[in-house]
Amino acid sequence: TDEARIALDTLTGRASNLFNPTLRIGVTGLSRAGKTVFISALVHNLLHGGRLPLFEAQKSGRIARAFLEEQPDDAVPRFQYEDHIRALIGDRVWPDSTRAISELRLTVEYESASGWNRMFSRGRLSIDIVDYPGEWLLDLPLLGKTYAEFSRDVFELAAFPVRAGLSEEWRARAATVDPNADADEMTARSLAESFTAYLKAGKDDSRALSTLPPGRFLMPGDLEGSPALTFAPLPNLGDVRPRSGSLHAMMARRYEAYKSHVVKPFFREHVTRLDRQIVLVDAMQAMNAGSEAVADLERALTEILNCFRQGRGHLLTDLFSRRIDRILIAATKADHIHHESHDRLQAIVRRIADRAIARADFSGAAVDVVAMAAVRATREGTVGDGSDALPVIMGTPLAGETIDGERFDGKTETAIFPGDLPAKPDSIFQDVDSNSHPIRFVRFRPPRLERNTAGMTLSLPHIRLDRALQFLLGDQLA
Ligand code: GDP
């Protein structure tokens, strides 16, 4: 059974942990939140002695060595660190984003901060970094829903004003099928395709709606086209039991297969084995798209955080083999705004996360919020002088980006006045006028390496990556 397996895993896990301490850190967030860039930058800064003044073990010189080791889980793809770094540093282009789960082991040898521990031996910690799409976490509520309940909820959400237009075609298509008719593969497939198209439509930049489950419809990983993904909700099912051989029965069976073969194993084998978690959010993109997108991000974040709760009455309580004791919610890409706005961004993310944190009720887990840039692609400056001086950021916009009608060639450094974030975090939930764009947003090329404080090595510049590291790792290297 699940329980027996977990109990065994826990025991063997504890035993091996005595000899070779490991810390499993989950890195998640919705697509394009910045997971790949974050992991690449974190590892690169640790391997190459980056500037990390807020990361105590590094600052005090206690890290003797950091190196990559073979990734211990044979069935999980390795995070392609070298490819990503080659893109970032070699070609100065952004690496390929996360499409599925992957893992990397980074081992750190360190001097303990306490003299007592130092007498025995040098400390050694293996950090297993597990990268996976946040979309997959949104599937958790499905475990508690029957196919009929799932169908009803999806149709209800699809009729909301923000989504009604996007879902119109699929709903019209669904209205023409009779759930009680004989099961037919082509009908199932065309419904699944039209349903997936609706889910994808919410994701374009201007709408920036956060995702709805089933998570694999957007991020299929290696399941693309498999029967477990070839289903869709059906309208007006009521409480009738499906007739055997009907379309309804086929869809319900595939939905159950999705839950038992896709969702459950993912949580059991990956999420429940994590010790710590960082959740990346692209708050600025949501803010640029307007208050509805912000509300939607809040909803998605609530569902994501809910997955790490381990209290009573939780769908996964019995599955957890380890206890997540620290959760960091991080707004990335803070290099798009001037440092004067960093604290505002942090306050905004805290505001978006507040309700989610309160609802998830993480008894015992420490939760923190940070605004950071895993890779800082800009520098700061001012334009004008005296009382007219304006804070600007400077960077090389990607080829093809435009601002005020000007089109960039990917080679020229440009100064941009990014605009101010609202001082009152609450205001992001209201649209002053529907066209208000708080931040001027262009995508920049990755930066050149910079010298660290001692001038010895070159590393990737960042903003507050060290603060994130200190929260996630600091106590383990004490
Ligand atoms: P993932 O889907 O979560 O793996 O997202 P990525 O890590 O691939 O990031 C998506 C895109 O966001 C990248 O291609 C970059 O354009 C941008 N991005 C991510 N992190 C940063 C950052 O720290 N600074 C800047 N300027 N851009 C970032």
Side-chain angles (χ1 to χ4, degrees):
T1 65
D2 284 345
E3 286 72 22
R5 189 159 2 151
I6 300 272
L8 189 66
D9 280 0
T10 312
L11 276 177
T12 47
R14 281 203 189 125
S16 74
N17 216 24
L18 269 180
F19 301 108
N20 186 9
T22 59
L23 187 72
R24 287 181 81 81
I25 300 185
V27 178
T28 198
L30 297 175
S31 92
R32 308 204 59 78
K35 300 178 285 297
T36 310
V37 172
F38 171 75
I39 298 171
S40 306
L42 177 160
V43 173
H44 191 270
N45 271 284
L46 285 178
L47 292 184
H48 298 275
R51 260 178 70 117
L52 303 167
L54 298 179
F55 182 45
E56 197 275 332
Q58 171 105 328
K59 179 178 178 248
S60 56
R62 291 193 294 104
I63 294 190
R65 191 158 85 101
F67 53 100
L68 294 178
E69 276 195 285
E70 197 183 345
Q71 190 266 95
D73 294 293
D74 289 333
V76 180
R78 182 174 179 278
F79 179 84
Q80 295 301 353
Y81 170 75
E82 295 78 5
D83 295 355
H84 298 326
I85 285 295
R86 196 175 317 120
L88 262 176
I89 294 175
D91 307 335
R92 285 182 64 208
V93 297
W94 297 103
D96 290 339
S97 299
T98 302
R99 315 279 316 160
I101 189 163
S102 69
E103 193 176 326
L104 189 69
R105 171 167 283 193
L106 173 74
T107 296
V108 177
E109 287 175 359
Y110 63 100
E111 305 287 342
S112 179
S114 95
W116 177 252
N117 284 345
R118 221 170 19 229
M119 280 192 352
F120 294 107
S121 69
R122 184 179 269 184
R124 181 188 166 101
L125 179 71
S126 291
I127 304 156
D128 289 333
I129 303 171
V130 184
D131 173 27
Y132 62 95
E135 281 79 1
W136 295 3
L137 289 174
L138 300 177
D139 281 340
L140 182 69
L142 301 186
L143 292 181
K145 284 183 196 175
T146 63
Y147 174 67
E149 287 164 343
F150 159 72
S151 293
R152 190 199 52 212
D153 293 354
V154 171
F155 275 97
E156 223 172 83
L157 258 183
F160 272 35
V162 241
R163 298 187 192 270
L166 300 174
S167 64
E168 202 172 342
E169 213 175 297
W170 160 64
R171 285 185 299 154
R173 173 90 192 74
T176 65
V177 304
D178 173 10
N180 199 33
D182 286 349
D184 169 53
E185 188 62 43
M186 291 327 281
T187 312
R189 208 172 92 187
S190 92
L191 279 176
E193 280 169 5
S194 143
F195 176 55
T196 308
Y198 148 56
L199 293 180
K200 285 196 173 139
K203 294 291 294 177
D204 76 32
D205 278 353
S206 61
R207 290 182 224 279
L209 290 176
S210 297
T211 310
L212 292 176
R216 306 275 168 150
F217 282 52
L218 288 158
M219 280 279 155
D222 52 6
L223 288 174
E224 191 130 31
S226 75
L229 298 197
T230 314
F231 71 91
L234 288 170
N236 310 318
L237 292 176
D239 281 335
V240 291
R241 279 179 70 93
R243 174 180 69 80
S244 128
S246 66
L247 184 68
H248 181 180
M250 179 197 210
M251 294 288 205
R253 191 178 61 245
R254 289 182 176 181
Y255 171 78
E256 292 302 329
Y258 180 76
K259 279 164 48 178
S260 55
H261 298 310
V262 179
V263 182
K264 260 203 167 170
F266 166 65
F267 278 94
R268 187 178 58 219
E269 284 155 31
H270 303 297
V271 181
T272 59
R273 290 171 61 212
L274 298 172
D275 298 304
R276 300 205 162 156
Q277 178 67 51
I278 175 168
V279 179
L280 299 168
V281 293
D282 192 341
M284 283 184 287
Q285 194 201 20
M287 281 154 61
N288 269 346
S291 63
E292 280 175 340
V294 173
D296 214 61
L297 176 63
E298 187 189 28
R299 182 189 57 72
L301 192 60
T302 307
E303 305 230 319
I304 286 176
L305 292 178
N306 219 357
C307 296
F308 307 122
R309 201 185 91 192
Q310 294 166 52
R312 246 173 243 283
H314 186 272
L315 291 163
L316 284 173
T317 308
D318 300 336
L319 293 181
F320 271 97
S321 60
R322 293 164 97 140
R323 180 172 197 94
I324 292 181
D325 63 351
R326 290 189 178 202
I327 299 170
L328 182 61
I329 300 161
T332 46
K333 313 182 192 180
D335 57 327
H336 283 108
I337 49 180
H338 200 263
H339 76 265
E340 286 165 1
S341 285
H342 290 166
D343 288 335
R344 287 187 177 182
L345 178 60
Q346 204 157 297
I348 285 167
V349 179
R350 188 169 286 282
R351 175 67 192 76
I352 295 175
D354 256 356
R355 247 183 293 185
I357 294 171
R359 230 179 280 170
D361 179 21
F362 303 109
S363 44
V367 185
D368 201 3
V369 174
V370 63
M372 63 168 198
V375 171
R376 177 163 54 79
T378 63
R379 339 180 252 119
E380 299 198 337
T382 47
V383 166
D385 43 24
S387 60
D388 292 334
L390 281 178
V392 292
I393 53 172
M394 288 184 287
T396 310
L398 291 180
E401 292 285 295
T402 53
I403 203 162
D404 299 336
E406 186 185 352
R407 199 181 171 80
F408 298 101
D409 60 4
K411 297 193 187 100
T412 323
E413 186 171 75
T414 310
I416 285 171
F417 173 65
D420 288 324
L421 293 180
K424 292 205 188 85
D426 268 333
S427 61
I428 57 168
F429 290 97
Q430 298 128 27
D431 277 332
V432 190
D433 67 85
S434 54
N435 281 325
S436 69
H437 285 274
I439 339 155
R440 283 158 43 108
F441 200 86
V442 286
R443 299 201 306 141
F444 295 100
R445 278 188 77 177
R448 290 177 210 286
L449 296 183
E450 68 174 16
R451 294 218 169 269
N452 73 357
T453 356
M456 304 290 279
T457 53
L458 287 166
S459 60
L460 277 164
H462 64 85
I463 297 168
R464 296 185 187 173
L465 177 66
D466 46 348
R467 181 155 130 46
L469 276 170
Q470 180 64 19
F471 180 77
L472 292 170
L473 295 178
D475 63 318
Q476 300 292 309
L477 300 173

